[in-house]
């Protein structure tokens, strides 16, 4: 089955800095890579996703890159703000039919004002 | 459109007891997945139901079981509770289609004492 590794487990940055979270996956059949943000005491919510036919996707201050050859994908957050503080999960899945994402263990991002 | 609803929000049980958790998906969604979330372990996949059938199963002991009803509502049961079962249990529903977002419920916080 799919295995997703996520690093770092904790990331502490100053407000305004950039943050990068990296994930690797093992199953070459995976073709859909969502990122979820979970604020303290709240449910995980999708913030951005990327499909395997695209190398990069941006949405305002967040972007995701995908390297299919190396089987890794990354989340980039620029100009971080205190409200970006949360746990971020990457996931990988093979879309089509059964959609079951395998999640990484999460990265706790702390943005210091 | 109502979101994913999980009940109860909090539960305290004693070792050896059993517990049933409920999840009502977004209207029209037929896939319901269950996850166990513990600190440092991320989101561990339990099982997925689609149209009343278990379609996928994670690596959890047989004490963890589930079912789905004709209205897509799902229940998860844990028998002979152990202290290590203390966790946040999240369910997520997804629509049909090749690539669909998983929408999470608020979760049920289970504490086993």
């Amino acid at each position: 089955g799919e295995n997703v590794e996520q690093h770092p487990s904790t990331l502490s940055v100053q407000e305004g800095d950039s943050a990068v979270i990296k994930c690797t996956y093992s199953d070459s059949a995976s073709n859909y890579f969502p990122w979820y943000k979970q604020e303290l005491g709240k449910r995980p919510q999708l913030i951005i996703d990327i499909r395997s036919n695209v190398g990069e996707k941006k949405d305002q201050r967040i972007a995701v890159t995908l390297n299919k050859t190396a089987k890794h994908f990354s989340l980039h957050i620029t100009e971080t703000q205190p409200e970006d503080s949360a746990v971020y999960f990457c996931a990988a899945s093979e879309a089509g039919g059964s959609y079951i994402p395998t999640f990484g263990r999460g990265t706790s991002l702390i943005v210091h004002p | 459109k109502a979101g994913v609803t999980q009940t109860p929000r909090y539960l305290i049980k004693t070792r050896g007891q059993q517990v049933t958790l409920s999840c009502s998906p977004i209207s029209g969604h037929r896939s319901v997945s269950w996850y166990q979330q513990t600190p440092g372990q991320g989101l561990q996949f339990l099982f997925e139901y689609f149209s009343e059938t278990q379609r996928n199963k994670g690596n959890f002991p047989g004490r963890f079981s589930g079912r789905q009803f004709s209205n897509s509502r799902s229940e998860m049961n844990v028998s002979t509770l152990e202290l290590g079962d203390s966790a946040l249990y999240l369910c997520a529903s997804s629509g049909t289609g090749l690539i669909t977002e998983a929408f999470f419920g608020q979760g049920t916080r289970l504490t086993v004492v």
Side-chain angles (χ1 to χ4, degrees):
Chain A
E2 177 64 276
N3 182 49
V4 176
E5 299 285 340
Q6 182 172 349
H7 299 280
S9 56
T10 305
L11 180 57
S12 183
V13 300
Q14 288 296 129
E15 182 177 0
D17 287 350
S18 294
V20 180
I21 301 170
K22 298 182 179 182
C23 290
T24 60
Y25 62 99
S26 61
D27 190 347
S28 57
S30 289
N31 55 12
Y32 177 59
F33 307 92
W35 286 87
Y36 286 81
K37 175 184 180 182
Q38 186 177 28
E39 297 177 8
L40 190 62
K42 296 189 176 180
R43 72 189 78 192
Q45 291 193 294
L46 181 74
I47 55 170
I48 194 168
D49 55 18
I50 191 168
R51 304 177 188 188
S52 60
N53 59 346
V54 176
E56 184 176 2
K57 184 177 179 180
K58 285 185 179 180
D59 183 3
Q60 299 181 356
R61 294 186 299 106
I62 61 173
V64 58
T65 58
L66 171 65
N67 183 327
K68 283 187 63 180
T69 303
K71 295 198 188 72
H72 65 70
F73 55 114
S74 301
L75 178 71
H76 304 252
I77 306 174
T78 58
E79 300 172 24
T80 54
Q81 300 167 4
E83 51 264 40
D84 294 329
S85 296
V87 178
Y88 292 80
F89 293 97
C90 64
S93 72
E94 182 180 358
S98 174
Y99 168 84
I100 301 297
T102 300
F103 287 88
R105 292 193 173 189
T107 296
S108 177
L109 173 64
I110 303 165
V111 180
H112 299 281
Chain B
K1 203 175 196 180
V4 179
T5 304
Q6 290 188 247
T7 57
R9 290 291 311 278
Y10 303 94
L11 266 178
I12 299 176
K13 288 287 186 178
T14 305
R15 269 185 304 176
Q17 287 187 311
Q18 74 165 17
V19 66
T20 298
L21 314 181
S22 179
C23 173
S24 293
I26 290 173
S27 178
H29 284 188
R30 294 160 63 187
S31 171
V32 175
S33 300
W34 288 89
Y35 296 86
Q36 182 193 67
Q37 185 175 27
T38 54
Q41 293 299 313
L43 294 160
Q44 301 291 308
F45 171 69
L46 282 153
F47 30 67
E48 184 232 1
Y49 285 86
F50 183 86
S51 293
E52 302 179 64
T53 301
Q54 187 181 85
R55 195 162 63 169
N56 290 282
K57 190 176 189 305
N59 297 321
F60 276 81
R63 299 185 298 106
F64 292 82
S65 63
R67 59 178 176 170
Q68 187 179 34
F69 302 95
S70 59
N71 62 357
S72 293
R73 188 178 70 86
S74 177
E75 287 182 347
M76 188 191 93
N77 185 76
V78 187
S79 62
T80 319
L81 283 166
E82 301 177 359
L83 295 179
D85 296 333
S86 295
L88 179 67
Y89 290 89
L90 291 160
C91 79
S93 77
S94 302
T96 55
L98 285 179
I99 294 178
T100 59
E101 176 183 351
F103 293 86
F104 285 88
Q106 291 276 37
T108 294
R109 172 74 62 186
L110 172 65
T111 302
V112 182
V113 297

